[in-house]
């Protein structure tokens, strides 16, 4: 990209050495498990061997008799303190520890607090839990049947159905399908996947009884949002809670939810007055942390015989496990799935999604995508290929026939998204030319004539990233703005504080380059801080590819305000100390689509 700065400044578009790398290359990063505090205790968790069962007894006497064991926490203990349940980011309620039944395999059942990690692990094995097995339901279609076992009997609604969501015009879509020359349909299943980042989840909770302040070091992609949740659960004012998210060994969406282990360590610190550390092992991480996908999709396309797509109809069942612990913007229970019309000009479209409880670990995390966009892209691109196969058309040709054309922008999709710009035919043609598509097709035909199989895949999609416009996106009722604070010192160095947290994306370099570009300060003189709610301005976190479009935009705006302020000052011999803060909604600069109005 074009830039106004020199290589000495190191602004946008210039290759600079990553500011994070010296500590990581030397093994000097600071992760949650590196935090060691005086008098620290360790927490480990008893987990259920059954997916659905009634708890008839928890006998912790052997564990409590072991030297070094400080306490055992059960659901009944939390219930007495009003801490047995916590909110999820989608506004559901999730058990911290069960009081009478478990609802998924490896669910947290009890917690042990001990003087060291190995004593805590041994004590977990000494706790005797008696279960009365209940019929589990793991198929979401079975869960929707009237006689299915209830996953969540605590709910007022005695059903496993969580919510129904739809977008588009159902009547208009049905009319197009009734008169369509060609209709193709396909059942698609995108199975559960697990994040499995290098670093598992964990925290260190430390409550100071003198000041009444709770400090939590935790593997968090959204420290401020987690501080808000901790305040809601504990009743402690947010001003008395500090969340520190140090170096994070991968997030990918899996470190957005609040896990019971975080709350248990915090409760243990509140009760003992000592710091408490919880670090899950790899088995726990794979069994019980949030999962992604698990979407059962039925899609249909109505088209003409010459390959013009006219309408898209999609019905989906979303398996969310035992609790709806997704991290979608709350106005979009199915995330941004309605972007599924993709890059194509359609007369009509209708999407419907039903969320379902099953006896599985809580699901719904948007793993490495922007809130269900991956599922939507897979669906529409698969359906275009199915239609091409039905009509015996070249997959590239059918895409050219159906693309939104450059002169149609700004374009309003049938599901309510406004596309600002694009030239899809030119982009695809450039890609086809680069790979020699026609030569590959000839090679493919020759090989097939000899009985050899050779596949060529094409995928063209429009993706929305950077959830941030406050009029559209929120989590827990908090608008999804992001913030940046910049302080420029008299000698010309700068301190930048941002509300998003990194898990390896290189924020300390990227955001320093943004400020270098805007202010003309050398990138090596700019320090970026993040991940500490006591110093960082409020932000809604890093996920959905939103860091640079939202917090990056806020950083650029803050830098421009400094630049304007500096112009009003007398000409200085050096930089004068000044400070500005920008906190507000930003439009995702990397996005090619945005909703014109909130939809349910």
């Amino acid at each position: 990209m074009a830039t106004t700065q020199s290589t000495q400044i190191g602004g946008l578009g210039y290759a600079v050495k990553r500011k994070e790398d010296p500590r990581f290359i030397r093994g000097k990063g600071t992760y949650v498990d590196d935090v060691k505090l005086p008098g620290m205790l360790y927490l480990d968790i008893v987990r259920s061997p059954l997916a659905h069962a009634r708890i008839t007894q928890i006998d912790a006497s052997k564990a409590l008799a072991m030297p070094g064991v400080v306490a055992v926490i059960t659901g009944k203990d939390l219930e007495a303190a009003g801490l047995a349940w916590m909110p999820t980011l989608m506004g559901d309620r999730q058990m911290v520890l069960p009081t009478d039944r478990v609802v998924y395999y490896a669910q947290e059942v009890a917690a042990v607090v001990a003087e060291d990690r190995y004593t805590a692990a041994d004590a977990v094995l000494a706790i005797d839990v008696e279960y009365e097995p209940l019929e589990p339901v793991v198929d979401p279609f079975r869960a929707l049947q009237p006689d299915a076992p209830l996953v969540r009997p605590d709910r007022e609604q005695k059903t496993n159905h969580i919510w129904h969501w739809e977008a588009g015009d159902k009547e208009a879509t049905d009319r197009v399908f009734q008169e369509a020359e060609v209709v193709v349909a396909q059942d698609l299943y995108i199975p559960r996947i697990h994040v499995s980042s290098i670093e598992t989840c964990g925290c260190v909770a430390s409550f100071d009884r003198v000041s009444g302040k709770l400090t939590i070091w935790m593997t968090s992609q959204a420290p401020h949002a987690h501080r808000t949740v901790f305040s809601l659960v504990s009743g402690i004012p947010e001003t008395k809670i500090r969340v520190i998210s140090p170096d994070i060994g991968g997030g990918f969406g899996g470190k957005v939810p609040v896990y019971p282990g975080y709350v248990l360590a915090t409760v243990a610190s509140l009760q003992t007055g000592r710091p408490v550390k919880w670090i899950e092992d790899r088995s726990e991480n794979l069994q019980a942390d949030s999962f992604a996908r698990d979407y059962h999709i039925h899609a249909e396309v109505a088209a003409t015989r010459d390959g013009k797509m006219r309408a898209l109809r999609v019905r989906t069942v979303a398996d969310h496990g035992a609790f709806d612990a997704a991290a979608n913007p709350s106005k979009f229970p199915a995330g941004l799935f309605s972007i599924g019309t993709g890059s194509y000009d359609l007369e009509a479209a209708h999407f419907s999604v039903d969320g379902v409880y099953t006896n599985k670990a809580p699901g719904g995390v948007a793993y490495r995508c922007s809130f269900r966009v991956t599922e939507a892209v897979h669906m529409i691109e698969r359906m275009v290929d199915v239609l091409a196969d039905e009509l015996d058309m070249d997959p590239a040709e059918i895409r050219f026939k159906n693309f939104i054309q450059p002169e149609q922008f700004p374009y309003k999709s049938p599901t309510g998204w406004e596309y600002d710009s694009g030239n899809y035919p030119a982009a695809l043609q450039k890609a086809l030319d680069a790979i020699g598509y026609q030569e590959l097709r000839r090679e493919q035909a020759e090989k097939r004539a000899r009985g050899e199989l050779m596949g060529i895949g094409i995928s063209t999609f429009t993706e929305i990233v950077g959830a941030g416009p406050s009029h559209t996106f929120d989590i827990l009722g908090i608008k999804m703005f992001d913030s940046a604070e910049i302080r420029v010192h008299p000698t010309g160095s700068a301190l930048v504080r941002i509300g998003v947290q990194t898990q390896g994306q290189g924020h300390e370099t990227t955001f320093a380059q943004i400020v270098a570009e805007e202010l003309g300060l050398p990138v090596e003189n700019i320090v970026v801080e993040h991940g500490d709610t006591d110093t960082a301005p409020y932000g809604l976190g890093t996920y959905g590819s939103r860091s640079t479009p939202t917090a990056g935009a806020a950083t650029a705006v803050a830098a421009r305000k400094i630049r304007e302020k500096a112009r009003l000052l007398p000409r200085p011999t050096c930089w004068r100390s000044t400070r500005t803060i920008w906190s507000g909604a930003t439009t995702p600069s990397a996005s090619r689509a945005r909703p014109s109005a909130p939809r349910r």
Side-chain angles (χ1 to χ4, degrees):
M1 66 179 289
T3 178
T4 59
Q5 304 298 346
S6 67
T7 54
Q8 287 77 23
I9 297 299
L12 296 175
Y14 285 97
V16 299
K17 290 185 177 180
R18 283 183 16 130
K19 298 170 79 68
E20 300 89 345
D21 284 353
R23 69 178 185 273
F24 292 142
I25 292 172
R26 292 174 172 85
K28 297 298 183 181
T30 301
Y31 298 88
V32 170
D33 201 22
D34 293 322
V35 177
K36 295 176 174 61
L37 302 177
M40 190 165 67
L41 301 172
Y42 295 82
L43 182 138
D44 206 342
I45 294 173
V46 179
R47 295 183 181 272
S48 171
L50 301 173
H52 197 196
R54 187 172 288 110
I55 298 173
T56 59
Q57 180 179 320
I58 299 178
D59 183 359
S61 57
K62 291 180 183 177
L64 288 169
M66 294 174 64
V69 172
V70 175
V72 172
I73 305 170
T74 67
K76 296 292 185 183
D77 299 326
L78 296 182
E79 187 177 48
L83 298 171
W85 294 82
M86 64 182 183
T88 70
L89 295 178
M90 278 302 293
D92 198 3
R93 296 194 325 142
Q94 180 174 350
M95 297 177 194
V96 178
L97 290 177
T99 55
D100 59 352
R101 70 169 63 199
V102 292
V103 290
Y104 61 92
Y105 175 77
Q107 182 180 355
E108 298 83 351
V109 174
V112 173
V113 183
E115 294 289 347
D116 65 80
R117 180 174 294 176
Y118 301 101
T119 298
D122 290 342
V124 161
L125 300 176
I127 295 178
D128 183 22
V129 184
E130 294 183 4
Y131 300 95
E132 178 187 315
L134 300 171
E135 180 187 352
V137 55
V138 295
D139 181 341
F141 295 98
R142 166 69 180 128
L144 290 173
Q145 296 174 0
D147 64 339
L150 274 181
V151 177
R152 294 284 303 280
D154 59 286
R155 295 175 76 229
E156 238 180 86
Q157 303 89 346
K158 301 307 176 186
T159 172
N160 292 322
H161 185 255
I162 310 174
W163 41 258
H164 176 80
W165 171 89
E166 54 185 81
D169 189 326
K170 186 178 188 304
E171 291 183 5
T173 303
D174 290 344
R175 281 196 301 270
V176 175
F177 270 87
Q178 287 169 6
E179 61 189 40
E181 296 174 353
V182 178
V183 173
V184 294
Q186 184 105 146
D187 287 316
L188 309 167
Y189 175 51
I190 304 181
R192 282 197 161 210
I193 62 170
H194 192 272
V195 172
S196 192
S197 48
I198 293 174
E199 180 192 23
T200 61
C201 293
C203 73
V204 175
S206 180
F207 180 65
D208 187 330
R209 287 178 171 172
V210 175
S211 66
K213 186 156 187 174
L214 173 65
T215 301
I216 308 168
W217 290 261
M218 64 186 296
T219 49
S220 171
Q221 292 181 232
H224 290 94
H226 284 163
R227 184 183 67 182
T228 299
V229 172
F230 274 101
S231 181
L232 291 172
V233 173
S234 67
I236 299 173
E238 285 189 74
T239 51
K240 290 286 188 176
I241 299 175
R242 180 185 185 186
V243 174
I244 301 171
S245 182
D247 293 324
I248 301 295
F252 311 111
K255 288 169 181 167
V256 177
V258 176
Y259 295 111
Y262 297 151
V263 178
L264 290 169
T266 301
V267 169
S269 182
L270 290 170
Q271 292 299 310
T272 63
R274 295 169 64 180
V276 176
K277 176 184 283 190
W278 168 68
I279 302 292
E280 66 181 359
D281 63 29
R282 179 58 64 187
S283 294
E284 292 176 296
N285 176 266
L286 291 172
Q287 291 169 348
D289 278 10
S290 285
F291 288 75
R293 314 291 191 248
D294 219 340
Y295 261 39
H296 299 258
I297 304 168
H298 178 79
E300 300 170 286
V301 170
T304 63
R305 293 199 182 279
D306 66 353
K308 182 67 179 79
M309 291 163 43
R310 298 187 58 200
L312 175 67
R313 187 163 56 192
V314 185
R315 298 190 302 274
T316 300
V317 171
D319 186 340
H320 281 269
F323 307 103
D324 188 2
N328 296 323
S330 53
K331 293 179 183 178
F332 300 90
L336 310 182
F337 190 65
S338 55
I339 198 68
T341 56
S343 311
Y344 308 106
D345 183 21
L346 301 173
E347 296 174 37
H350 182 258
F351 289 70
S352 66
V353 186
D354 290 279
V356 183
Y357 290 122
T358 61
N359 290 116
K360 299 177 184 175
V365 165
Y367 171 73
R368 294 197 68 174
C369 79
S370 186
F371 310 122
R372 305 284 80 79
V373 169
T374 300
E375 294 87 328
V377 166
H378 174 72
M379 177 274 300
I380 186 60
E381 290 305 290
R382 177 63 182 148
M383 293 311 297
V384 174
D385 283 344
V386 169
L387 180 61
D389 187 60
E390 174 71 20
L391 299 175
D392 197 25
M393 290 183 65
D394 185 281
E397 178 189 351
I398 200 168
R399 285 171 167 82
F400 281 121
K401 183 180 282 286
N402 289 283
F403 276 148
I404 303 164
Q405 297 302 306
E407 62 271 15
Q408 291 180 267
F409 292 99
Y411 174 84
K412 186 77 162 291
S413 83
T415 54
W417 296 91
E418 183 181 307
Y419 292 34
D420 53 17
S421 62
N423 191 335
Y424 304 148
L428 178 56
Q429 189 60 60
K430 189 169 185 176
L432 296 179
D433 292 343
I435 66 168
Y437 182 69
Q438 293 306 322
E439 289 77 9
L440 286 175
R441 291 291 279 174
R442 281 193 290 272
E443 180 185 352
Q444 182 184 46
E446 292 169 1
K447 288 188 174 181
R448 287 186 173 181
R450 298 196 300 266
E452 299 177 31
L453 295 180
M454 172 182 168
I456 302 172
I458 296 176
S459 179
T460 58
F461 62 92
T462 295
E463 177 183 12
I464 175 171
V465 298
S470 294
H471 63 79
T472 302
F473 295 98
D474 69 85
I475 282 184
L476 283 176
I478 306 168
K479 298 298 185 180
M480 291 186 71
F481 65 90
D482 250 280
S483 310
E485 175 184 301
I486 303 173
R487 299 185 181 191
V488 178
H489 302 297
T491 53
S493 61
L495 172 65
V496 182
R497 287 172 170 159
I498 54 177
V500 292
Q501 166 66 340
T502 181
Q503 303 95 55
Q505 302 99 315
H507 285 184
E508 292 168 37
T509 303
T510 301
F511 286 81
Q513 285 191 280
I514 292 172
V515 174
E517 176 72 18
E518 295 291 339
L519 297 182
L521 300 177
V523 71
E524 64 266 22
N525 291 351
I526 300 169
V527 172
V528 176
E529 292 182 356
H530 48 79
D532 186 339
T533 59
D534 265 14
T535 57
Y538 203 103
L540 267 294
T542 297
Y543 41 86
S545 305
R546 67 185 302 273
S547 290
T548 305
T550 52
T555 301
V557 172
R560 289 166 194 170
K561 291 168 75 75
I562 281 186
R563 199 169 62 206
E564 288 301 314
K565 185 179 290 188
R567 285 197 184 105
L568 300 176
L569 294 171
R571 185 174 182 85
T573 55
C574 65
W575 275 89
R576 292 175 180 266
S577 181
T578 183
R579 173 179 180 272
T580 188
I581 183 168
W582 172 259
S583 174
T586 56
T587 302
S589 58
S591 174
R592 278 290 175 260
R594 59 181 183 276
S596 55
R599 284 180 169 267
R600 286 193 180 274

